[in-house]
Amino acid sequence: MCFTEALKSAPCVKTECGHIFHEECILKKLDAKWNGPRIVFSFCACPLCKKWLNLKNKDITKKLNEAK
């Protein structure tokens, strides 16, 4: 998702599927939602394995619940 800076350079979150991403990058992805006129919910999926994002972060969980 983000290949511009190392994971250790910013706060990160770990998904239940075991992948680690910058917290800010996940929030940006959830805020952007779908990128065209067709409404899809792939923005709520892990960018690597496509499983639904499950995190223990309050802000991210709130945005995921709003998308449901």
Side-chain angles (χ1 to χ4, degrees), residues 1-2 5-7 9-13 20-26:
M1 187 164 47
C2 167
E5 60 183 321
L7 289 175
S9 64
C12 295
V13 292
I20 300 172
F21 302 101
H22 292 127
E23 181 179 359
E24 183 179 344
C25 293
I26 291 282

Side-chain angles (χ1 to χ4, degrees), residues 3-68:
F3 300 105
T4 58
E5 60 183 321
L7 289 175
K8 64 182 179 180
S9 64
C12 295
V13 292
K14 185 175 182 179
T15 64
E16 281 188 7
C17 56
H19 297 110
I20 300 172
F21 302 101
H22 292 127
E23 181 179 359
E24 183 179 344
C25 293
I26 291 282
L27 288 170
K28 283 181 184 177
K29 178 181 174 172
L30 293 173
D31 285 338
K33 298 186 180 176
W34 45 89
N35 59 359
R38 187 170 156 231
I39 297 174
V40 295
F41 292 93
S42 59
F43 68 92
C44 294
C46 174
L48 298 176
C49 68
K50 306 304 181 207
K51 291 183 181 177
W52 189 263
L53 284 173
N54 286 315
L55 302 151
K56 295 180 181 176
N57 179 292
K58 285 183 187 179
D59 295 332
I60 295 172
T61 302
K62 181 181 175 187
K63 287 186 183 282
L64 286 167
N65 288 334
E66 289 171 0
K68 287 184 182 178

